[in-house]
Amino acid sequence: MVRNNPNVVVVTILFLLLSLPLVSCEECSSKYEGGCHDKNEALKLKVIAIFCILLSSMIGVCIPIFTTSVPALKPDGDLFVVIKAFACGVILATGYMHVMPDSFADLTSPCLPQHPWHKFPFTTFIAMISAIFTLMVDSFSLSYFKKKLPMSSSVNNLETTKELELGHVHGHGLAIANGHEKNVNAEQLLRYRVVAQVLELGIVVHSVVIGLSMGASENPCTIKPLIAALCFHQLFEGMGLGGCILQADYGVKMKVIMVFFFSVTTPFGIALGIGLSEVYSDTSPTALIVEGVLNAISAGLLNYMALVDLLANEFMGTKLQSRIKLQLLCYIAVFLGAGGMSVMAIW
């Protein structure tokens, strides 16, 4: 697996947005225009947003990682499973209720010509292809790395090596850092790692795009509710990703890299939008197409990951299948997470 995937994606998006012509269409009105328009006030709110969203992102993604010392919040604990189900609902609603509608709005904008953008549902087509491609990456990655792992390998063997490298041993024997490795074999650990990296890839793409959009806005009335919505979004989406990172049982270096990229991508997008606000036009055909396509790709990836790799994997697993009450609690948590994130869409 490429360890710098998020970095490559951020650089690619930045290159596309800076290298393509962003000439506005005079006949189109900005999606940020309205009665509430104050450039100076908007700039103050965007600076506040950078720090608030950065803090929310760091708290969300770090909660699962740094609460392993609390018995109830260990990956094999019931509370952790319920919280993860809630966070998965947030991720699912992000794809369906935020990212995909944004892509529809961009790719069906009146700023784009009727042919071909209004004659074909590009958003759903691209999202479908993205979901299939994510399945391919998921499948091929597992197939490739399974060949490098002895089928009889246990996580304890892998963890022992890593413990020696990191130079720390916890006082729980070989149930080690996260308290769940003894129940997971090498193949399942590999699965967790693929899921964590692919999920972060989809989140990073969307985070840069939505940050760029906020950074380009000069409408305080739009930015104020967006700050609250994005803080909520980043907090619980981060918890979902943090749970995946925890289960993947990466070393310290890889955890830091993944936490860093998740935490900074939205603030980076906002800062980029502020820097480009003088030349960036959200009504430019090129900007609309680039944003719309990236959002559609992200939507397909997030929807696949939420439904297949996170929710289906959890609900079809032995733990929930053998405990109906816990399964019901998790379903309630999913609905609450998805519902809460969906309500944010009207903001």
Side-chain angles (χ1 to χ4, degrees), residues 37-44 46 217-220 277-278:
H37 188 276
D38 187 329
K39 186 174 182 179
N40 292 329
E41 180 66 19
L43 180 60
K44 292 178 184 177
K46 284 183 278 190
S217 173
E218 295 181 357
N219 187 339
S277 59
E278 296 300 324

Side-chain angles (χ1 to χ4, degrees), residues 152-161 174 176 180-190 249:
S152 61
S153 292
S154 71
V155 131
N156 290 340
N157 295 332
L158 298 176
E159 191 59 43
T160 302
T161 302
L174 280 178
I176 317 289
H180 71 295
E181 288 85 349
K182 62 183 179 181
N183 298 319
V184 183
N185 59 28
E187 183 178 331
Q188 184 62 50
L189 179 63
L190 172 62
D249 194 36

Side-chain angles (χ1 to χ4, degrees), residues 117-128:
W117 303 104
H118 294 259
K119 302 295 183 181
F120 185 79
F122 281 99
T123 292
T124 46
F125 176 75
I126 295 171
M128 176 182 69

